[in-house]
Amino acid sequence: MRSSWLTRAGVIWSMLLLGSQPAAAQKKYKVSVDSSPQQAALYVDSKAAGIQAYTPAELKLAPGDYKLIIELPGYRPLEVHVVVKTRAKQEFKYVLERAPRPATLDLRASDDSATGAAVSVDGKPSGQVPTTVDVSAGRHEVVVTREGYNAYREWVDAADSEHRTMVITLSRKAPEGGALVVSADTDGAEVWIDGQRKDAAPAVIQGLPPGTHVVEVRKEGLPPWRQDITVVAGSQIKITATILASAGGTLRVMSATAGAEVYVDGELKGQVPQSISGLRPGTHLVELRKKGFASASQEVRLSAGEERVLKLDLGTARGENATLRVASAVPDAEVFIDGGSVGRAPIERPLEPGHHIVVVQKSGYAEYKRELDLTAGQVTALTADLRSAGGVKVIATPAGAQVILDGVLVGPTPATLPDVQAGEHVLEIKAAGYYDYRQTIKIEGGKHQVVTADLKMIPTEPTGAALLDEIRGQTSVGGRAVRKRSFTADVSAGYPYFIDARLTAGVWSSGMFGLDGGVEIRTFFLLTDIALQGKFQFVAADPVYLAILADFGGGGGPNGRNTFFTDVGLGMTLSFNNLVSFSARTWLNAWTDRFCPSLDDTQTVPRMECMQPFNLGNGKLYDPRKDRDNDARWFLGAWVDVSLLQHVSLFLSLYGVPFQSERLMFKSVYNDFFPDSDQKVYGQIGLTAKY
């Protein structure tokens, strides 16, 4: 019976021992996974373990069946089953299907009329102006309503992923009665109706009762302008008050040069002598021109009703001029020569021979500009090819992103392009560290639109598998800083400190630089100390890492013992595929130790074993009741860290101070655990947990 029980116990114990042994590691094979487009997140079997890599990626997997999950914003997720076989390398490539992307309607108010107005899309309430509404590709009805205003309705054909800006303007509902729109040929004139002041011109007066009314437009210093109007319910009447025209000045221009042409404010008025009436009060530029003579000009200031005579004489005859004719296919385009306006095309002007700059402009069209060299006695004809244009403003996050239009670099955001040819254009926005933004925009002549883009940052953090691999290679000693949001915990035993515990956490990292900090507690029972530690990594050229190390701390024990110390030095780590790390350190250790109570303390608390001074062996008498042991030594040390599991490693250290002085704290004179002399060579063995 007893033998059977022992046999059964032995079997169970053997099973437990076998069950506790780690399973033989399966050989893993390289597996290449790519997608089109690339930079898709890659999961293996499930999302629980996090992102393993971004395509194109190379994984190491044991033979067997796996489920690959591939996801990229804007594309349909893809799940595929693959079989990893026992061969050197397998490659898997997949094409992702683009997911339907909604279009965005960006509704904005052109003025206060639409601000806060209710928006509905396809009959569904969609907020208030300003707002953005995501809609599916296709045709949609947009309705904007506000009390007191006529409803705004528009059918929109939205393309997939299109961002369309809609600028909304609402018109007020016509009130009962009629409306009167009054403008004047001078600023600041007041509008009076039936003897009552209504507004300053230009003015819109609503709700006038049907019938006849007397309209007056008045301005101080000028005779009033009057007109009778008849208002019909629901109608609108527009009138322009010509105060200045009726009270303008008169200018008579004379010259000794017969046939000279008179221009007032760039407009031809005829040949001298010439009387020009109805000129508005103010300053006018009068110019006299004749072929073969130097032109003459003078500014003249006229008051309302003033009559003035101006005599201008042309310069002496000169060489023959050149002639420039400017025409435009678009009517009413304004022509500028050498920066000055010369009227609307078509124009013909005599000019001095030589270099001239001609600019033709009209609202809603791109500026036409040419540089010409004119020859004396010759006529040069120029036809301005104005092209319909609009404006676009590009705003992007982050600011400073580069804007490229049709392959041409425009500049950083925010960017304003006032004259872009009407039609479709390809707009690209690029910034370092962000995915490129690309959109086809349609420019309409005479209109201005705003394009906004939020660029998405390219992930730079390590993937799930890479992050675990990096954490596996961390060490709290040497030259490699613990990465931010990670930590290590060390527990070791050795000499001279029998037990040593340390906790280190990553504080900051940027490129090759890193900073960590921690706390360490160590003891040899008769004295326990605690230290705060820090490490600044300044080189990270895998597999080599370099860092500056420093700590300070203190502690105490029985019989009046206490100590304070600090260390500063340099550490280096050489990592072997994050599985084995070799670290070397050199540092200066400075300390101040007390082993007995002071003389004042011994008078009240006798400590016989600390009362007698002794000779240190170099002829120096040391009295522990009065003296502290103050000294410093330079250390050299080496550490080996071997990964056992994903989050656990074994480390062994050896360090010492060859050819330097002893430290009294590590001698038997004050510590029965230590030998008679300081060994000057120390070591630790322990485990590190890494997360």
Side-chain angles (χ1 to χ4, degrees):
M1 178 72 72
R2 180 179 177 85
S3 175
S4 175
W5 182 87
L6 289 174
T7 301
R8 186 177 303 169
V11 171
I12 295 173
W13 179 249
S14 299
M15 292 175 64
L16 290 174
L17 287 176
L18 289 173
S20 64
Q21 299 302 312
Q26 275 190 293
K27 184 175 181 181
K28 295 184 178 181
Y29 295 87
K30 291 183 179 180
V31 175
S32 174
V33 182
D34 199 358
S35 68
S36 177
Q38 296 179 335
Q39 291 297 313
L42 177 63
Y43 303 85
V44 178
D45 287 336
S46 72
K47 293 186 178 181
I51 298 173
Q52 299 301 304
Y54 292 92
T55 60
E58 190 169 275
L59 307 176
K60 287 186 177 181
L61 300 175
D65 294 344
Y66 295 91
K67 179 173 71 173
L68 300 183
I69 303 173
I70 304 175
E71 293 185 350
L72 182 66
Y75 293 81
R76 297 183 185 274
L78 178 66
E79 293 188 8
V80 293
H81 289 272
V82 299
V83 178
V84 176
K85 300 179 181 179
T86 56
R87 62 184 185 186
K89 185 175 181 180
Q90 292 178 260
E91 295 184 356
F92 300 99
K93 296 183 179 180
Y94 304 99
V95 177
L96 302 182
E97 180 182 353
R98 183 181 292 276
R101 294 181 294 179
T104 300
L105 303 181
D106 188 352
L107 280 74
R108 306 185 182 189
S110 64
D111 52 33
D112 292 339
S113 66
T115 302
V119 178
S120 66
V121 178
D122 298 332
K124 297 180 180 179
S126 303
Q128 297 178 331
V129 179
T131 187
T132 57
V133 184
D134 290 339
V135 297
S136 59
R139 187 172 175 82
H140 301 273
E141 184 185 27
V142 179
V143 179
V144 181
T145 57
R146 184 179 180 184
E147 187 176 353
Y149 291 81
N150 294 313
Y152 173 97
R153 284 183 169 83
E154 182 177 351
W155 284 93
V156 177
D157 291 315
D160 183 30
S161 74
E162 177 184 6
H163 186 107
R164 177 173 296 194
T165 301
M166 302 176 65
V167 180
I168 309 300
T169 302
L170 298 182
S171 60
R172 286 189 177 273
K173 291 182 178 179
E176 295 182 1
L180 176 64
V181 179
V182 182
S183 57
D185 60 357
T186 182
D187 295 332
E190 296 180 342
V191 179
W192 294 65
I193 297 180
D194 298 334
Q196 294 183 348
R197 184 186 182 282
K198 295 295 184 181
D199 203 348
V204 178
I205 296 93
Q206 303 277 8
L208 285 175
T212 302
H213 300 273
V214 178
V215 180
E216 290 183 281
V217 180
R218 307 174 185 177
K219 186 171 183 179
E220 186 176 355
L222 297 174
W225 180 91
R226 294 185 180 87
Q227 181 175 325
D228 292 343
I229 61 168
T230 300
V231 175
V232 178
S235 67
Q236 184 185 78
I237 301 174
K238 296 182 180 180
I239 58 176
T240 300
T242 55
I243 298 178
L244 294 180
S246 59
T250 301
L251 178 65
R252 182 170 177 80
V253 183
M254 303 179 67
S255 175
T257 306
E261 294 178 328
V262 179
Y263 291 83
V264 178
D265 299 329
E267 184 179 352
L268 178 63
K269 297 296 184 180
Q271 296 183 348
V272 292
Q274 185 66 237
S275 293
I276 304 102
S277 60
L279 292 175
R280 60 175 177 78
T283 301
H284 300 270
L285 177 63
V286 181
E287 188 176 8
L288 208 60
R289 305 175 187 171
K290 186 175 181 179
K291 186 176 182 180
F293 292 83
S295 63
S297 62
Q298 183 175 330
E299 287 189 347
V300 178
R301 185 173 183 82
L302 291 177
S303 301
E306 179 182 4
E307 294 185 4
R308 188 169 178 177
V309 177
L310 176 64
K311 187 174 185 301
L312 286 176
D313 290 324
L314 295 177
T316 56
R318 60 180 181 177
E320 190 174 12
N321 284 337
T323 302
L324 176 65
R325 294 174 183 168
V326 181
S328 171
V330 178
D332 295 327
E334 189 170 6
V335 181
F336 296 83
I337 299 178
D338 298 331
S341 175
V342 295
R344 300 184 183 277
I347 61 101
E348 181 175 322
R349 289 288 183 273
L351 298 172
E352 292 183 4
H355 189 75
H356 297 273
I357 299 175
V358 180
V359 177
V360 183
Q361 296 178 344
K362 185 174 182 179
S363 179
Y365 292 83
E367 179 182 271
Y368 179 88
K369 183 177 181 179
R370 289 290 184 275
E371 296 189 29
L372 303 172
D373 289 310
L374 303 182
T375 304
Q378 293 186 5
V379 177
T380 301
L382 180 68
T383 300
D385 182 17
L386 295 182
R387 297 188 177 185
S388 180
V392 59
K393 183 173 183 179
V394 183
I395 302 172
T397 302
Q402 293 297 320
V403 178
I404 301 170
L405 187 67
D406 296 331
V408 178
L409 179 64
V410 174
T413 57
T416 301
L417 312 178
D419 294 316
V420 180
Q421 183 176 338
E424 290 191 347
H425 299 268
V426 177
L427 177 69
E428 296 177 273
I429 306 174
K430 299 183 177 182
Y434 292 80
Y435 289 112
D436 293 347
Y437 176 91
R438 183 184 177 95
Q439 179 182 340
T440 300
I441 59 174
K442 186 175 182 179
I443 301 297
E444 298 182 22
K447 294 186 178 181
H448 188 87
Q449 60 177 290
V450 178
V451 176
T452 59
D454 292 325
L455 304 188
K456 295 183 178 179
M457 186 177 295
I458 299 174
T460 57
E461 286 293 319
T463 62
L467 179 60
L468 289 175
D469 191 50
E470 184 176 338
I471 291 176
R472 182 199 293 268
Q474 293 184 151
T475 174
S476 55
V477 297
R480 187 172 186 176
V482 175
R483 65 173 281 110
K484 188 178 180 181
R485 294 189 292 273
S486 298
F487 73 92
T488 62
D490 305 314
V491 177
S492 63
Y495 173 83
Y497 294 98
F498 303 152
I499 299 176
D500 190 334
R502 178 171 49 236
L503 189 64
T504 308
V507 176
W508 167 83
S509 63
S510 177
M512 66 186 296
F513 301 104
L515 179 67
D516 65 27
V519 60
E520 181 178 20
I521 301 175
R522 55 192 182 182
T523 183
F524 47 73
F525 304 145
L526 289 180
L527 188 140
T528 300
D529 62 43
I530 183 170
L532 296 179
Q533 302 176 329
K535 177 171 36 180
F536 175 70
Q537 173 186 291
F538 61 90
V539 171
D542 191 32
V544 177
Y545 302 84
L546 296 178
I548 297 172
L549 312 106
D551 66 30
F552 67 91
N559 202 26
R561 288 176 171 84
N562 63 66
T563 182
F564 298 96
F565 58 89
T566 185
D567 299 272
V568 61
L570 186 68
M572 182 275 291
T573 293
L574 182 63
S575 177
F576 296 91
N577 201 27
N578 290 324
L579 296 175
V580 177
S581 296
F582 172 79
S583 299
R585 291 176 59 177
T586 179
W587 71 97
L588 178 66
N589 169 234
W591 71 85
T592 175
D593 298 335
R594 176 178 289 282
F595 304 103
C596 295
S598 66
L599 286 173
D600 292 338
D601 293 334
T602 58
Q603 293 174 5
T604 57
V605 185
R607 302 285 186 182
M608 296 305 296
E609 65 272 24
C610 289
M611 294 296 288
Q612 299 301 321
F614 64 92
N615 196 310
L616 291 174
N618 55 3
K620 180 180 178 182
L621 188 65
Y622 175 73
D623 188 347
R625 300 166 301 174
K626 297 187 298 181
D627 302 328
R628 297 185 69 92
D629 179 29
N630 305 316
D631 207 344
R633 299 190 294 183
W634 197 270
F635 276 79
L636 295 173
W639 278 255
V640 175
D641 185 289
V642 180
S643 177
L644 300 179
L645 301 172
Q646 174 63 58
H647 296 285
V648 179
S649 64
L650 171 71
F651 72 88
L652 177 67
S653 67
L654 187 66
Y655 55 98
V657 285
F659 314 113
Q660 298 184 58
S661 61
E662 296 180 315
R663 184 170 179 180
L664 296 180
M665 179 180 285
F666 298 155
K667 299 176 64 173
S668 63
V669 64
Y670 290 115
N671 194 332
D672 293 337
F673 296 110
F674 292 157
D676 293 340
S677 62
D678 183 4
Q679 300 301 299
K680 300 183 185 178
V681 177
Y682 317 110
Q684 302 286 131
I685 184 170
L687 295 174
T688 301
K690 308 172 184 182
Y691 289 93

